[in-house]
Amino acid sequence: AYWQINRATSERFTYVTDFEKHGVPDYREEGVTGDTRFTGDCEEYARAIQYQLGIQGVQSTVYVVKRKYDYHALTCTSDGWCMDAFTVPMRRESVRDIFITQL
């Protein structure tokens, strides 16, 4: 089910930076569901995945992680799967990023 949710949400998502969309370097858009086509950055995608998982009754948390050169948001389920717009679902212990904080 995680692969289907991730794939369906990815198909509706178009990556756009906060600066391109809102004219500021960082903006956290509220109310993103991923039910229809949507744009945004990794935070909006992570929130949409969290919403879609919630519809299925799956508990999840959005995290900010530190990558080699930047920061990224991803969603992890309570049973240890993590998802983002750019990869297939993976086990949390396979994520090489450093978990910084919850959003």
Side-chain angles (χ1 to χ4, degrees):
Y2 296 152
W3 283 264
Q4 293 169 323
I5 291 168
N6 201 54
R7 182 174 51 244
T9 306
S10 290
E11 289 173 357
R12 293 187 288 267
F13 175 67
T14 301
Y15 182 87
V16 177
T17 67
D18 286 335
F19 195 79
E20 292 170 314
K21 188 172 181 180
H22 302 286
V24 295
D26 190 38
Y27 183 88
R28 195 169 301 156
E29 197 170 326
E30 298 297 325
V32 178
T33 65
D35 287 333
T36 58
R37 292 199 140 292
F38 68 106
T39 61
D41 65 6
C42 59
E43 291 170 338
E44 282 72 43
Y45 186 84
R47 291 287 187 203
I49 285 290
Q50 185 178 44
Y51 179 86
Q52 293 298 317
L53 289 167
I55 290 172
Q56 301 299 317
V58 177
Q59 295 268 349
S60 64
T61 303
V62 175
Y63 291 96
V64 174
V65 296
K66 171 82 169 91
R67 294 198 159 165
K68 191 172 185 176
Y69 298 108
D70 62 355
Y71 293 89
H72 184 60
L74 54 87
T75 305
C76 296
T77 64
S78 58
D79 63 347
W81 288 94
C82 295
M83 289 164 262
D84 73 13
F86 309 111
T87 62
V88 296
M90 67 188 99
R91 295 297 299 170
R92 182 173 172 159
E93 59 268 13
S94 300
V95 176
R96 295 188 172 176
D97 306 321
I98 299 167
F99 284 76
I100 302 293
T101 188
Q102 297 179 13
L103 283 183

